[in-house]
């Protein structure tokens, strides 16, 4: 079972917390071992020196024939066997062992007759000191690790929150919101230290501003060109109407009409680019509206109403979207073309070669066509823009058995 993490806790935060925890544990273990070894060596050394000192006094008393002090004896029963063997072999030594239920420091040395003279020193206090020290090291290490992890996680999550904020702004920009900015406080105040996250935020804001400026320039250019073309095209249209009947006249009038259509499409796109279009909302029967669109198109398009629906929408804009989809299906696809109404979902399908790969992946792009298709890519661009104004979702896919499928999902009226 996977553990659900907070929205701000990504892989970076988890990895940083794990790294901090491992490093704290390693550092605490290293310091604990060093302190334990140092204190233990000092404590054991003091106890060993005391035991050897008493062993020296006991040896002098034994050699002088005096009575041994308490704690000193020849071949005592509790003397550890390794230490007894060392003493019988003619050498002195010390050893900590449990005697009568308590830790004892033994010191032993040789005496006449291959016997061992041993002295016992109570080691309980030193053992408790070392045990207490180990417990103190353990608890203090756990406390230090916990505090360090909390501080480290807090610092890391502050960075990850800023990174997530930058990522959200980047997604908004990619979705078309060119006014989105990170506005990291560090980038607004030059006196504050600039870290890497601030540098990324500043670069993203600069890129968004540059992109917005270029797109606005492109939109103004498109609108200006379309506006400037309207006047000469009006004159051309009037002049074409005055030409005598004939094949050349028909060709001129056809080209002038195509130019006028292209100019009107560019003007419509420039208005959509401003994102200031206002809706004229009314309640419409979707099935009846689809039938009117097909009749107005003058094409042989089959209308299937699986489930009718009433929607609150802008009739003119919705008719524009469906009309462009039907016209595109007949122009670039093959019959039969079917318009299906299923509740608030309208699909337009043809049985041609389907949409190009770039269009399915990224949506329609103005002035881009592939495969020798004729057109400017403006019809579907306008349909997508008008659908966004309506608050609807327009998607483009290819059917498994061939053909292009455009799906328009409208908001449902409650």
């Amino acid at each position: 079972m996977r553990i659900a993490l907070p929205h701000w806790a990504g892989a970076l935060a988890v990895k940083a917390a794990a790294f901090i925890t491992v490093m704290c544990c390693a550092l605490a273990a290293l310091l604990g071992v060093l302190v334990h070894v140092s204190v233990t060596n000092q404590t054991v050394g003091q106890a060993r020196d005391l035991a050897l000192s008493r062993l020296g006094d006991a040896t002098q008393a034994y050699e002088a024939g005096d009575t041994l002090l308490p704690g000193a004896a020849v071949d005592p029963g509790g003397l550890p066997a390794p230490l007894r063997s060392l003493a019988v072999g003619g050498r002195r030594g010390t050893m900590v062992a449990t005697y009568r239920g308590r830790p004892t420091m033994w010191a032993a040395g040789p005496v006449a007759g291959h016997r061992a003279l041993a002295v016992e020193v109570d080691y309980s206090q030193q053992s408790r000191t070392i045990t207490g020290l180990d417990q103190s090291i353990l608890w203090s290490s756990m406390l230090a690790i916990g505090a360090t992890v909390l501080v480290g996680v807090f610092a890391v999550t502050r960075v990850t929150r800023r990174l997530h904020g930058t990522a959200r702004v980047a997604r908004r920009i990619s979705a078309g919101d060119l006014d989105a900015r990170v506005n990291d406080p560090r980038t607004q105040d030059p006196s504050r230290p600039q870290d890497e996250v601030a540098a990324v935020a500043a670069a993203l804001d600069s890129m968004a501003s540059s992109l917005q400026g270029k797109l606005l320039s492109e939109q103004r250019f498109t609108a200006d060109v379309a506006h400037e073309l309207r006047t000469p095209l009006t004159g051309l249209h009037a002049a074409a109407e005055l030409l005598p009947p004939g094949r050349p006249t028909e060709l001129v009038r056809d080209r002038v009409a195509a130019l006028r259509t292209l100019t009107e499409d560019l003007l419509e796109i420039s208005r959509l680019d401003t994102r200031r279009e206002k809706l004229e909302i009314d309640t419409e029967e979707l099935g009846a509206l689809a039938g009117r669109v097909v009749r107005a198109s003058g094409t042989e398009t089959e209308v299937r109403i699986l489930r009718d629906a009433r929607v609150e929408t802008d009739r003119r804009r919705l008719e524009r979207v469906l009309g462009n989809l039907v016209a595109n299906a007949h122009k670039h696809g093959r019959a039969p073309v079917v318009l299906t109404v299923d509740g608030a979902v309208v699909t337009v399908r043809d049985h041609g070669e389907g949409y190009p790969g770039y269009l399915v992946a990224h949506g329609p792009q103005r002035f881009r066509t592939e495969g020798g298709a004729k057109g400017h890519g403006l019809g579907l661009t306008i349909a997508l823009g008008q659908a966004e104004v309506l608050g609807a979702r327009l998607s483009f896919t290819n059917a498994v058995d061939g053909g292009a499928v455009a799906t328009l999902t409208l908001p449902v009226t409650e």
Side-chain angles (χ1 to χ4, degrees):
M1 182 180 66
R2 298 184 64 181
I3 300 176
L5 298 175
H7 69 278
W8 47 262
L12 179 61
V14 174
K15 290 178 180 178
F19 176 76
I20 293 173
T21 303
V22 171
M23 292 303 297
C24 287
C25 291
L27 182 60
L30 178 61
L31 292 177
V33 169
L34 291 177
V35 173
H36 171 83
V37 170
S38 176
V39 173
T40 300
N41 288 340
Q42 182 179 2
T43 304
V44 172
Q46 292 175 351
R48 180 182 293 111
D49 292 343
L50 177 61
L52 290 175
S53 175
R54 291 186 179 181
L55 177 62
D57 296 340
T59 301
Q60 292 180 359
Y62 179 82
E63 291 177 351
D66 297 336
T67 303
L68 297 177
L69 296 176
V74 177
D75 293 330
L79 183 65
L83 186 58
R84 182 189 300 276
S85 299
L86 183 69
V88 171
R91 300 172 61 188
R92 286 188 173 190
T94 59
M95 185 175 180
V96 177
T98 301
Y99 180 58
R100 295 178 181 176
R102 68 176 189 275
T104 302
M105 172 65 77
W106 289 94
V111 292
H114 298 286
R115 305 177 68 188
L117 175 62
V119 175
E120 62 175 282
V121 177
D122 187 10
Y123 194 70
S124 300
Q125 181 62 39
Q126 292 85 341
S127 179
R128 287 193 296 268
T129 299
I130 295 175
T131 301
L133 174 65
D134 291 342
Q135 292 178 350
S136 299
I137 292 175
L138 179 62
W139 285 107
S140 60
S141 298
M142 293 177 62
L143 181 61
I145 291 171
T148 305
V149 169
L150 288 177
V151 173
V153 169
F154 174 74
V156 170
T157 52
R158 289 189 63 187
V159 175
T160 55
R161 283 194 185 100
R162 293 169 63 196
L163 288 174
H164 279 285
T166 303
R168 283 195 300 270
V169 172
R171 286 191 290 268
R172 287 173 56 191
I173 293 173
S174 65
D177 184 6
L178 298 181
D179 292 324
R181 298 291 185 274
V182 180
N183 291 326
D184 192 297
R186 293 176 182 267
T187 62
Q188 308 298 320
D189 186 2
S191 62
R192 299 182 64 180
Q194 303 294 306
D195 58 9
E196 289 78 4
V197 179
V200 172
L204 180 62
D205 287 348
S206 176
M207 181 198 70
S209 298
S210 176
L211 180 61
Q212 185 177 38
K214 291 180 179 179
L215 288 179
L216 289 176
S217 298
E218 179 184 340
Q219 292 169 7
R220 283 194 298 268
F221 175 76
T222 302
D224 292 343
V225 167
H227 278 289
E228 292 298 325
L229 284 176
R230 296 186 78 180
T231 301
L233 280 175
T234 302
L236 281 175
H237 179 72
E241 293 298 324
L242 297 176
L243 293 174
R247 182 58 179 168
T249 299
E250 292 178 2
L251 292 175
V252 171
R253 289 176 180 175
D254 179 69
R255 293 301 87 197
V256 170
L259 281 174
R260 292 190 68 180
T261 301
L262 176 60
T263 302
E264 294 300 326
D265 287 347
L266 289 175
L267 284 172
E268 185 171 358
I269 288 177
S270 66
R271 289 194 298 268
L272 292 172
D273 285 340
T274 62
R275 299 181 181 273
R276 296 177 182 174
E277 295 286 87
K278 295 182 179 179
L279 295 174
E280 297 178 2
I281 299 297
D282 198 2
T283 303
E284 298 287 340
E285 293 285 347
L286 198 52
L289 187 145
R292 290 198 305 269
V293 168
V294 170
R295 288 192 298 272
S297 69
T299 60
E300 295 183 2
T301 302
E302 180 185 354
V303 178
R304 296 177 183 174
I305 302 178
L306 304 180
R307 183 166 51 92
D308 205 351
R310 294 178 62 85
V311 294
E312 289 186 355
T313 187
D314 187 319
R315 178 181 57 81
R316 180 184 64 83
R317 297 183 188 278
L318 181 55
E319 289 178 348
R320 177 68 159 154
V321 174
L322 296 181
N324 280 17
L325 295 179
V326 171
N328 184 82
H330 281 281
K331 185 176 182 179
H332 300 288
R334 286 196 300 267
V337 175
V338 182
L339 188 153
T340 304
V341 176
D342 186 5
V345 179
V346 182
T347 59
V348 178
R349 178 186 175 180
D350 62 56
H351 290 75
E353 297 180 358
Y355 291 121
Y358 79 89
L359 194 149
V360 175
H362 306 291
Q365 300 176 26
R366 63 192 73 172
F367 299 109
R368 179 176 180 181
T369 57
E370 287 186 0
K374 296 181 180 180
H376 306 285
L378 300 183
L380 294 183
T381 303
I382 292 173
L384 183 61
Q386 293 289 11
E388 291 178 353
V389 174
L390 292 173
R393 181 168 57 86
L394 180 59
S395 60
F396 303 93
T397 57
N398 290 322
V400 177
D401 54 347
V405 181
T407 304
L408 178 67
T409 305
L410 294 163
V412 180
T413 304
E414 298 294 339

